[in-house]
Amino acid sequence: MAFDARDKEIALDSHVRYVDTGTIGKVLDIKTTDGVDWVRIDKTDLWYRASLVEVLDDKDLNKRFDSGGDDELDIEALKEKAEKLENMQMDSSVAEGGG
């Protein structure tokens, strides 16, 4: 049994977000090594420390509907959004104060 950054239980097939980069994916596997819980995410096929991911609720997920009417998680849109946030640059002149 593994728990996320908010102490929610992580289950296989649940969707999680890695808090450091915003990477979102479905949990494929869970393991414990030397007392540390790990989850493997489908989108990257990498292992993440369970305490550094957040389980996503339905309200956290951005859904789109295809022509078949089935719910489909819009992972690409979420990844794009996270990428834009990561690539933002701060300009030193933006926050100049008057005086």
Side-chain angles (χ1 to χ4, degrees):
M1 191 177 308
F3 293 92
D4 74 353
R6 298 178 289 187
D7 288 327
K8 289 186 177 182
E9 186 176 346
I10 302 171
L12 286 177
D13 294 329
S14 59
H15 285 88
V16 296
R17 174 180 41 235
Y18 180 54
V19 295
D20 288 345
T21 62
T23 300
I24 294 173
K26 184 165 50 168
V27 176
L28 298 177
D29 200 1
I30 300 171
K31 71 177 180 179
T32 302
T33 304
D34 296 328
V36 177
D37 295 326
W38 298 88
V39 294
R40 186 167 56 99
I41 297 176
D42 68 340
K43 293 301 172 187
T44 59
D45 201 30
L46 297 173
W47 289 93
Y48 295 84
R49 206 180 263 252
S51 63
L52 297 177
V53 300
E54 294 175 330
V55 174
L56 298 176
D57 297 326
D58 287 340
K59 65 180 177 160
D60 296 326
L61 299 174
N62 198 8
K63 293 191 177 196
R64 68 178 179 199
F65 298 93
D66 64 9
S67 59
D70 296 328
D71 289 352
E72 185 177 309
L73 182 62
D74 192 353
I75 294 291
E76 292 307 313
L78 292 172
K79 284 169 61 175
E80 254 181 56
K81 193 176 195 180
E83 204 171 284
K84 284 179 186 177
L85 290 173
E86 289 174 8
N87 293 331
M88 281 182 22
Q89 295 181 355
M90 297 299 280
D91 186 339
S92 61
S93 65
V94 172
E96 287 185 314

